Amino acid sequence: MRVITQLSTGGPEVLEVGEAEVPTPLPTEIRVRVAAAGVNPVDWKTRAGAGMAPVIGPPPFTVGWDVAGTVDAVGPGVTRFSVGDSVFGMPWFPRQAGAYAEFVTAPSRHFAHRPAGLSEVEAAGLPLAGLTAWQALVDIAGVQPGQRVLVHGAAGGVGHLAVQIAKALGAYVVGTASVGKHNLLNDLGIDEAVDYRTEAFEKVIEPVDLVLDMFGGEVAVRSLDVLHPDGRLICLPSAAAADAVAAAGDRGLRATGMLVEPDGDGLDELAELVGDRRLRVLVAETFPLERASHAHRAGELGHTTGKLVLTT
């Protein structure tokens, strides 16, 4: 099978097409013929030697965790899926999943059935970003109807999903994004959009119960100015979480970092929102598998609306 591999860490140019044996599923695992693989910031950070590279170990390795495709084989003990089922998932994270490939094997409970209203390309963009938003909003924060939620980077990969999930939970949602993306956010149901380029968000946003921060650094620190005394800041960049937690502690406020986990039940919840037409995945651009380096270059520019996806 074709696989994107790298023999060293570095820039996008280290990604190259290689060949590997088609894996065989172990007990409780399924093998998925990959139709599409999502591209996430953790992919290019890992490629460069940061991100999950310390977890995976030295090259050669294959990055990628978002998968959508068809079940090609099932190992003993699998009851959740059958050969031919259309699935999507985020297997193995933070260990190597090797999603930039034509086949992936992983535990069956790292996947869910792809809802009919979601194409394979869209489904490939949902798992990691969608589970990040779901686990932050539901599992950590327990967002309740009527609460106020601020989403930084509201038009980005995680952000545009977080806006929709928070709205589905009944929250009042505020988001920061450049003004050119405000019409899109309005289409997603946001209650209030703030142009971070022309306004100091901490001066124009009323206090909120939850901040979902995609950036860390001074954005996280400034976000504490709009946080209710009993509110919470969730800092998603794991490398920046410690500083945000320390800054919040100095002010008697709550902040936490998080790292998304494989979660078949969470994927089922996301699929239900898609089925109810309360969640849609925006795909900014697709690239064939062999152009993975081009996808990384596009993502690293930091201006993507929605998700980038590779197709096999």
Side-chain angles (χ1 to χ4, degrees):
M1 69 173 181
R2 291 184 306 149
V3 59
I4 299 299
T5 187
Q6 58 185 91
L7 303 180
S8 64
T9 56
E13 67 279 359
V14 303
L15 298 177
E16 58 184 73
V17 179
E19 293 288 330
E21 294 292 327
V22 175
T24 299
L26 299 175
T28 76
E29 291 185 349
I30 60 174
R31 183 171 68 208
V32 177
R33 181 185 292 273
V34 179
V39 178
N40 295 287
V42 69
D43 298 3
W44 57 76
K45 291 176 183 178
T46 302
R47 180 212 73 222
M52 296 302 113
V55 177
I56 294 175
F61 56 66
T62 295
V63 297
W65 286 272
D66 275 342
V67 173
T70 303
V71 177
D72 175 74
V74 299
V78 172
T79 59
R80 189 174 170 89
F81 303 107
S82 301
V83 171
D85 286 349
S86 185
V87 298
F88 72 113
M90 186 197 73
W92 293 119
F93 190 84
R95 291 188 287 163
Q96 179 175 266
Y100 291 12
E102 292 182 310
F103 292 90
V104 166
T105 55
S108 67
R109 294 187 181 273
H110 289 185
F111 294 89
H113 291 277
R114 176 172 63 88
L118 207 61
S119 70
E120 287 181 318
V121 167
E122 292 167 333
L126 180 56
L128 192 147
L131 285 176
T132 297
W134 179 267
Q135 290 171 11
L137 293 165
V138 176
D139 297 341
I140 298 175
V143 169
Q144 298 298 310
Q147 288 188 319
R148 292 172 56 84
V149 174
L150 168 60
V151 179
H152 285 305
V158 174
H160 85 284
L161 299 172
V163 167
Q164 297 174 80
I165 294 169
K167 287 300 298 179
L169 295 171
Y172 180 95
V173 184
V174 184
T176 60
S178 60
V179 68
K181 299 177 180 179
H182 286 194
N183 286 340
L184 168 64
L185 293 177
N186 290 332
D187 289 343
L188 296 180
I190 203 166
D191 296 291
E192 188 178 337
V194 175
D195 182 4
Y196 68 91
R197 293 179 174 174
T198 60
E199 297 181 285
F201 67 83
E202 69 272 24
K203 298 185 182 299
V204 298
I205 296 175
E206 296 295 321
V208 299
D209 300 287
L210 174 67
V211 177
L212 197 55
D213 167 46
M214 315 294 172
F215 304 112
E218 57 96 15
V219 172
V221 174
R222 289 165 54 201
S223 296
L224 298 174
D225 291 340
V226 301
L227 195 62
H228 273 307
D230 59 349
R232 184 194 296 266
L233 166 70
I234 299 178
C235 186
L236 297 182
S238 54
D243 290 341
V245 170
D250 290 343
R251 298 173 57 169
L253 298 171
R254 290 190 301 167
T256 185
M258 70 161 287
L259 194 62
V260 67
E261 301 177 50
D263 180 2
D265 291 337
L267 291 172
D268 286 337
E269 297 284 359
L270 294 173
E272 184 173 341
L273 288 179
V274 170
D276 291 342
R277 297 186 177 181
R278 292 188 290 171
L279 181 66
R280 56 192 174 106
V281 182
L282 303 179
V283 176
E285 193 171 0
T286 62
F287 300 81
L289 183 66
E290 62 271 16
R291 291 173 64 87
S293 62
H294 294 74
H296 278 214
R297 288 190 181 95
E300 287 179 296
L301 293 175
H303 304 303
T304 302
T305 299
K307 298 301 303 291
L308 301 172
V309 176
L310 302 176
T311 57
T312 61

